[in-house]
Amino acid sequence: MIGQDGDDERWRIDTTDFAVAQTVEWERHAHEHAHEILWGCRGTLTAATDDGFFAVPHALALWIPAGVHHQVTAASGTRFRCTYIDSALPGPSPHATAIAMPELVQSLLERLADPPYLAPTPRTHAENLVTSLLEPVEVASVDLRMPRDVRTTAVAERILANPADDQSIEDWG
């Protein structure tokens, strides 16, 4: 990540916006040198990690530490952001977990991503502030067991593979 003027100032936090017209699935992968924050703006965003399966609503985000493998699915019409944070910076958890995404953090991340870019000293202060504000949140989990019958298991697996599928119950039957 290079600074605005082509100097060698390395950015420790950078955010990318995504807007998908059709459902997109990113295969299982890991970012070895960067933590990742997935945060949704609109639509359905899910991620599977070794720590669990996460739905990412607008009010929360998913913290994915560097090196943690994850698979992400964004349903058609979804808009979301990925914030990459240098792995040398501290994070809120060594595991994938839900984190709060207050407006202050969102605003700071947007400011760090958009021109005019901050000069190195204020940028470093803003990056440090962002990481200090990241906090895990307790979320209610919904434990849904997979069906045992082979016919309903096939339907459940297809729904998990494409949560945006709008087939009716009659169609599934």
Side-chain angles (χ1 to χ4, degrees), residues 16 28 46 101 123 131 160 162 166 173:
T16 303
R28 185 174 158 86
T46 59
M101 204 60 179
R123 182 175 188 91
T131 59
L160 285 172
N162 183 9
D166 61 359

Side-chain angles (χ1 to χ4, degrees), residues 29-145:
H29 64 284
H31 307 281
E32 295 302 324
H33 302 289
H35 306 300
E36 182 176 2
I37 299 173
L38 283 177
W39 44 304
C41 303
R42 175 186 70 234
T44 305
L45 182 63
T46 59
T49 74
D50 291 339
D51 296 316
F53 183 80
F54 301 87
V56 185
H58 175 66
L60 299 176
L62 179 62
W63 169 260
I64 305 169
V68 170
H69 285 87
H70 55 286
Q71 178 180 354
V72 177
T73 302
S76 60
T78 296
R79 183 172 165 254
F80 68 99
R81 294 182 174 126
C82 291
T83 296
Y84 302 97
I85 300 174
D86 188 304
S87 61
L89 291 172
S93 173
H95 305 285
T97 190
I99 59 172
M101 204 60 179
E103 287 183 27
L104 174 60
V105 172
Q106 292 179 38
S107 294
L108 283 167
L109 291 173
E110 289 166 359
R111 178 64 185 96
L112 288 170
D114 295 335
Y117 300 112
L118 293 173
T121 299
R123 182 175 188 91
T124 297
H125 291 305
E127 291 171 339
N128 291 337
L129 180 57
V130 164
T131 59
S132 72
L133 293 172
L134 299 177
E135 296 180 354
V137 294
E138 296 272 341
V139 292
S141 66
V142 177
D143 296 323
L144 298 175
R145 299 186 190 277

